[in-house]
Amino acid sequence: MQSINEIEELVKLISKLPGLGPKSAKRIVLKLINNRDELIKPLANTLAQVYKNVVRCNLCGTLKSNSTACSNCEDTKNKFTKICVVEDIADQWSIENSNIFQGYFHILGGTISSVGQKKEDLLINSLVERVKKDNIDEVILATSATVEGQTTAFYIQDSLKKTYVKVTKLAQGLPVGGEIENLDDGTLFSAFKNRTGIKSNSD
Amino acid sequence: MQSINEIEELVKLISKLPGLGPKSAKRIVLKLINNRDELIKPLANTLAQVYKNVVRCNLCGTLKSNSTACSNCEDTKNKFTKICVVEDIADQWSIENSNIFQGYFHILGGTISSVGQKKEDLLINSLVERVKKDNIDEVILATSATVEGQTTAFYIQDSLKKTYVKVTKLAQGLPVGGEIENLDDGTLFSAFKNRTGIKSNSD
């Protein structure tokens, strides 16, 4: 490798990003260097902007611009009555992309049993506050179908016991395109347990 | 996706990097945001440093620090007598990593027939000057074994005709680990043509 410190440093930093190793980092650095004005400059500026301007909302956990109100929980234009609770911002993005849900989001910031994550680190208290304060009639728990996700969902359900809000969780069953022979026992169990009627005895 | 402009911009920029698409860019952005001080800040700073300090050397084409002499062609500590000519900085890095070559590098910046690349864009004239000026006894053409790479090598060989330097090019043949049944005809042809003696008739 070139003995230029900045380049070495850049390769080292980029190798830390998910899905990238030293080889792909070098390829990226070369691309950057060959596109100084189209890539390095805007990337450095945008990163500085994000560092300066983008923060996590204390109330709902989503990303918001430092200078403006949170477009999720402090949205005054749209008055929603549902809150969808997810683990991470990535989950919010996926659900937003699917256009399947119209309402507020609440990003916990992890799950209860994940390593080093305590209940207190998750935005659960502020969820209870939001439910009490705003005119919410349903909390949809969209945590992962993992042990940690379901434990977290159970804990939240418990925390919301004293409010009068309806709490639901996402259905479990066959994923679209799922072939029976390839499904795990847990999914099959859920699919059987939650089977839906399509014709009654009397039809 | 979140309606924060900086985040969208960052995802867009990162998607442009080689090997990355919108999905992996989003994953990287999330990792960045979750590691503001360990990743975003140093990355923004290093990119700005690289933009400010790292330039291509006009003479040999490698990357050099703006403030110092080129560690490749203006290296006064080591006096080499060989120049290895490569297409890109990535090639230089590969050869440096292999520790197989001790000498100067000369980075052309592409090949002759590649799209939009003209002879004048490549650092060929400065190579001839280096050969004349410095005490060089061999120029090793390490361009790719592609039509473009070989055309470029031929053109350089022609440009060096009037100097008294020895010009060599890398051997062509079986790559290490290459299985005969999987090799293309061109490689097989080279391997046969350049076959080396291991025992003579009289042994």
Side-chain angles (χ1 to χ4, degrees):
Chain A
M1 263 284 299
Q2 199 72 9
S3 61
I4 303 182
N5 292 338
E6 289 96 335
I7 300 279
E8 272 174 24
E9 181 66 24
L10 192 57
V11 170
K12 221 169 73 186
L13 281 168
I14 292 179
S15 322
K16 288 185 191 167
L17 300 177
L20 301 179
K23 274 218 164 182
S24 39
K26 273 186 205 171
R27 210 165 63 230
I28 287 173
V29 168
L30 284 170
K31 170 92 173 182
L32 287 170
I33 285 167
N34 291 329
N35 297 274
R36 294 164 58 83
D37 288 298
E38 303 81 42
L39 284 176
I40 301 190
K41 206 177 173 183
L43 200 52
N45 290 342
T46 311
L47 283 166
Q49 289 284 319
V50 167
Y51 183 78
K52 216 179 82 190
N53 296 339
V54 178
V55 290
R56 259 193 95 185
C57 174
N58 285 330
L59 204 60
C60 71
T62 196
L63 296 176
K64 72 182 209 75
S65 200
N66 218 345
S67 49
T68 59
C70 176
S71 65
N72 178 34
C73 66
E74 298 169 281
D75 185 346
T76 47
K77 228 175 29 201
N78 297 306
K79 273 289 168 202
F80 298 118
T81 56
K82 293 180 201 314
I83 292 181
C84 177
V85 179
V86 292
E87 293 169 15
D88 286 310
I89 292 156
D91 303 333
Q92 178 188 354
W93 290 358
S94 291
I95 296 173
E96 278 183 333
N97 273 344
S98 72
N99 273 325
I100 217 157
F101 171 72
Q102 290 294 321
Y104 299 118
F105 280 93
H106 191 89
I107 295 93
L108 297 170
T111 50
I112 286 176
S113 345
S114 55
V115 189
Q117 196 81 275
K118 289 183 208 146
K119 287 184 196 103
E120 297 74 43
D121 296 338
L122 304 179
L123 289 180
I124 295 180
N125 291 339
S126 74
L127 173 66
V128 180
E129 276 167 44
R130 282 181 77 187
V131 168
K132 283 179 182 162
K133 194 170 62 76
D134 298 340
N135 193 24
I136 300 300
D137 64 16
E138 183 179 358
V139 170
I140 304 171
L141 301 178
T143 51
S144 300
T146 57
V147 175
E148 291 87 356
Q150 297 305 306
T151 311
T152 312
F154 187 78
Y155 180 78
I156 294 172
Q157 180 189 337
D158 203 60
S159 306
L160 289 170
K161 214 183 256 173
K162 285 183 185 155
T163 65
Y164 295 98
V165 76
K166 178 173 152 192
V167 181
T168 55
K169 66 171 191 166
L170 296 190
Q172 292 198 326
L174 309 184
V176 172
E179 292 169 327
I180 303 289
E181 66 169 13
N182 299 325
L183 290 175
D184 58 294
D185 291 352
T187 304
L188 275 180
F189 180 79
S190 302
F192 267 88
K193 196 178 145 211
N194 305 321
R195 63 190 180 276
T196 50
I198 45 175
K199 179 189 164 299
S200 74
N201 287 343
S202 56
D203 281 351
Chain B
M1 264 285 297
Q2 197 72 9
S3 61
I4 303 183
N5 293 337
E6 288 95 336
I7 301 280
E8 272 173 24
E9 181 67 23
L10 192 57
V11 170
K12 222 168 71 186
L13 280 168
I14 291 179
S15 322
K16 287 186 192 165
L17 299 178
L20 302 177
K23 275 218 161 180
S24 38
K26 274 185 203 169
R27 211 166 62 232
I28 286 174
V29 167
L30 285 170
K31 169 92 174 184
L32 286 170
I33 285 166
N34 290 330
N35 297 275
R36 295 164 56 82
D37 288 299
E38 303 81 41
L39 284 176
I40 301 190
K41 207 178 173 183
L43 200 51
N45 289 342
T46 310
L47 282 167
Q49 288 285 319
V50 167
Y51 184 79
K52 218 179 80 188
N53 296 339
V54 179
V55 291
R56 258 193 95 186
C57 174
N58 286 329
L59 204 59
C60 71
T62 196
L63 297 175
K64 71 182 212 74
S65 201
N66 218 344
S67 49
T68 59
C70 176
S71 64
N72 179 33
C73 66
E74 299 169 282
D75 186 344
T76 46
K77 222 170 38 195
N78 297 306
K79 272 290 167 201
F80 298 119
T81 56
K82 293 180 201 312
I83 294 180
C84 178
V85 179
V86 293
E87 294 170 14
D88 286 310
I89 292 155
D91 303 333
Q92 179 189 353
W93 288 358
S94 293
I95 295 173
E96 278 183 332
N97 274 344
S98 73
N99 273 326
I100 217 160
F101 171 72
Q102 291 293 322
Y104 298 118
F105 280 93
H106 191 90
I107 295 94
L108 297 169
T111 49
I112 285 176
S113 348
S114 56
V115 190
Q117 196 82 276
K118 289 183 208 147
K119 287 185 197 107
E120 295 76 41
D121 297 338
L122 304 179
L123 289 181
I124 296 179
N125 291 338
S126 74
L127 172 66
V128 180
E129 276 166 45
R130 282 180 77 187
V131 168
K132 283 180 184 165
K133 194 170 61 76
D134 299 338
N135 193 21
I136 302 299
D137 64 17
E138 182 179 358
V139 171
I140 303 170
L141 301 178
T143 51
S144 299
T146 57
V147 174
E148 292 86 355
Q150 296 306 306
T151 310
T152 310
F154 187 78
Y155 181 77
I156 294 172
Q157 182 190 336
D158 204 59
S159 305
L160 289 170
K161 214 184 258 175
K162 284 182 186 156
T163 66
Y164 294 98
V165 75
K166 178 172 152 192
V167 182
T168 55
K169 65 171 193 166
L170 296 189
Q172 293 199 325
L174 308 184
V176 172
E179 291 168 326
I180 303 289
E181 66 170 12
N182 298 326
L183 291 174
D184 59 294
D185 292 352
T187 303
L188 276 180
F189 180 79
S190 301
F192 268 89
K193 198 178 143 209
N194 305 321
R195 64 189 180 275
T196 50
I198 45 175
K199 179 189 165 300
S200 73
N201 287 343
S202 56
D203 281 351

